[in-house]
């Protein structure tokens, strides 16, 4: 488990959502020095930051919160400025902010307004965050961690993880803006990784299928057959648990993943491998 210890300062956007909050708690448990929980819901961010203090294992742990609109460059810059002012550096940046489409409708009926809204938050937001955070990471000294049985390991200048979706690789009906945004997100992840690899900054994404969070619960409310669909087509016969996504993010930020860069880590239990005949 030593390889899963994490040391450093973290920013989590979408930090009050199902995946963001669980990732924050996992990081707090893993020994980080501080987390800035940023979300469009500022009040919930403050509550989650407070709650994380009960879970943190680092005696110097510092929890902060702020309101942010990830689709707004100025708002993103203010979040980065706050993190740098309070922490001095950003070692890990987790982008777990995201929205679903307003309506599940065919591409021919999809509105430009909803297309732009989903693309702005799910795709452009990741670019704005990656751009602003990477400028800070590029200027900071690399950090290293000492593993009890393996000695010192250089972690580089930082790690950025985007929470994408299995829809970076496949699509489902009636969700064109969402699927498009997640395909774009894979491109943003890989392009950022390309431009930052020379600086010791890694950029990866996790790409889960349905995750048991408020977003999935809302989908089940809108489409009551969803739990049955998941049970039928997902090999594990259930949605992913938020802690399973958080653990994958923790791995991508940790000392065992120094060689993992530009990856899209699918968490789909093999669903996208293709149809099962038997
Ligand atoms: N739940 C799923 O089935 C599932 C599956 C695959 C991928 N994802 C992706 O995981 C990510 C996290 O989703 P979740 O399941 O935790 O959903 P969630 O709705 O619980 O969390 C999303 C969070 O993003 C925040 N957010 C929305 N708009 C924002 C904005 N403009 N600026 C800042 N924050 C904003 C919300 O307030 C919320 O806290 C999303 O990108 C989602 O697309 C979810």
């Amino acid at each position: 488990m030593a390889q899963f210890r994490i040391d450093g300062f973290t920013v989590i956007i979408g930090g009050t959502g199902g995946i963001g909050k669980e990732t924050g708690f996992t990081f707090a448990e893993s020994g980080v020095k501080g987390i800035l929980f940023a979300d469009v819901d500022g009040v919930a961010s403050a509550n989650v930051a407070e709650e994380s203090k009960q879970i943190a294992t680092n005696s110097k742990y510092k929890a902060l919160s702020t309101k942010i609109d990830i689709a707004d460059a100025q708002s993103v810059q203010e979040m980065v400025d706050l993190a740098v002012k309070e922490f001095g550096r950003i070692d890990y940046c987790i982008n777990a902010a995201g929205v679903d489409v307003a309506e599940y409708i065919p591409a021919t009926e999809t509105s430009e307004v909803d297309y732009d809204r989903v693309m702005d938050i799910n795709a452009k937001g990741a670019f704005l965050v990656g751009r602003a955070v990477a400028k800070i990471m590029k200027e900071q000294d690399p950090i290293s961690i000492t593993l009890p049985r393996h000695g010192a390991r250089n972690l580089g200048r930082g790690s950025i993880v985007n929470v994408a979706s299995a829809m970076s690789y496949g699509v489902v009906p009636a969700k064109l803006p969402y699927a498009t945004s997640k395909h774009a997100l894979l491109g943003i992840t890989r392009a950022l990784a390309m431009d930052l690899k020379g600086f010791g900054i890694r950029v990866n994404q996790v790409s889960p299928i349905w995750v048991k969070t408020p977003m999935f619960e809302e989908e089940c409310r809108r489409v009551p057959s969803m739990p049955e669909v998941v049970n039928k087509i997902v090999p594990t016969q259930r949605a992913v648990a938020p802690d399973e996504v958080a653990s994958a993010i923790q791995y991508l930020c940790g000392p065992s993943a120094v060689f993992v860069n530009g990856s899209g880590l699918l968490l789909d239990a093999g669903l996208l491998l293709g149809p099962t005949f038997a």
Side-chain angles (χ1 to χ4, degrees):
M1 285 305 284
Q3 279 90 330
F4 287 94
R5 282 207 62 73
I6 299 205
D7 186 17
F9 292 102
T10 309
V11 168
I12 304 182
I13 305 109
T16 76
I19 294 170
K21 177 176 160 180
E22 180 57 33
T23 302
F25 290 174
T26 300
F27 274 48
E29 207 170 24
S30 304
V32 287
K33 295 191 178 100
I35 302 176
L36 169 56
F37 291 88
D39 200 286
V40 74
D41 185 339
V43 174
S45 300
N47 292 338
V48 169
E50 196 54 36
E51 218 183 312
S52 73
K53 292 180 189 165
Q54 310 304 316
I55 296 161
T57 55
N58 190 320
S59 59
K60 294 188 179 139
Y61 176 75
K62 196 168 173 182
L64 303 173
S65 67
T66 191
K67 184 174 158 72
I68 183 184
D69 177 2
I70 195 175
D72 181 84
Q74 178 63 31
S75 181
V76 168
Q77 191 56 51
E78 282 166 16
M79 176 203 69
V80 168
D81 291 346
L82 176 67
V84 172
K85 178 170 160 272
E86 296 291 330
F87 294 152
R89 57 186 292 137
I90 302 172
D91 297 299
Y92 314 108
C93 172
I94 317 304
N95 170 24
V99 288
D100 201 355
V101 290
E103 281 183 279
Y104 300 140
I105 43 175
T108 46
E109 312 306 317
T110 297
S111 77
E112 269 182 74
V113 171
D114 204 41
Y115 179 90
D116 287 344
R117 180 187 68 92
V118 174
M119 288 295 285
D120 278 356
I121 295 172
N122 293 4
K124 185 179 147 198
F127 153 63
L128 295 176
V129 166
R131 184 178 65 172
V133 166
K135 279 184 188 157
I136 301 302
M137 287 180 169
K138 276 167 90 168
E139 299 302 321
Q140 62 196 20
D141 291 332
I143 57 168
S144 72
I145 195 163
T146 302
L147 303 170
R149 288 189 297 109
H150 308 289
R153 185 160 296 169
N154 189 336
L155 298 185
R157 291 193 167 80
S159 169
I160 298 172
V161 179
N162 290 316
V163 181
S165 164
M167 273 200 247
S168 289
Y169 300 94
V171 296
V172 295
K175 284 182 95 159
L176 181 144
Y178 187 85
T180 306
S181 72
K182 295 300 181 178
H183 273 61
L185 185 49
L186 178 61
I188 291 166
T189 297
R190 287 167 56 81
L192 275 171
M194 171 58 89
D195 285 359
L196 296 172
K197 65 182 177 180
F199 296 91
I201 301 167
R202 295 181 302 110
V203 188
N204 291 288
Q205 71 178 41
V206 287
S207 310
I209 46 161
W210 296 282
V211 186
K212 214 166 177 327
T213 67
M215 185 183 280
F216 178 61
E217 280 155 20
E218 171 61 14
E219 189 165 358
C220 292
R221 197 189 57 73
R222 290 201 241 172
V223 185
S225 60
M226 266 323 286
E228 204 183 309
V229 170
V230 168
N231 192 46
K232 197 167 161 195
I233 69 170
V234 177
T236 49
Q237 298 184 306
R238 66 172 174 86
V240 188
D243 72 277
E244 292 171 312
V245 183
S247 295
I249 295 170
Q250 181 192 30
Y251 161 72
L252 288 173
C253 287
S256 296
V258 168
F259 280 79
V260 185
N261 201 4
S263 84
L265 191 54
L266 253 175
L267 304 175
D268 74 336
L271 179 65
L272 297 191
L273 288 172
T276 305
F277 294 113

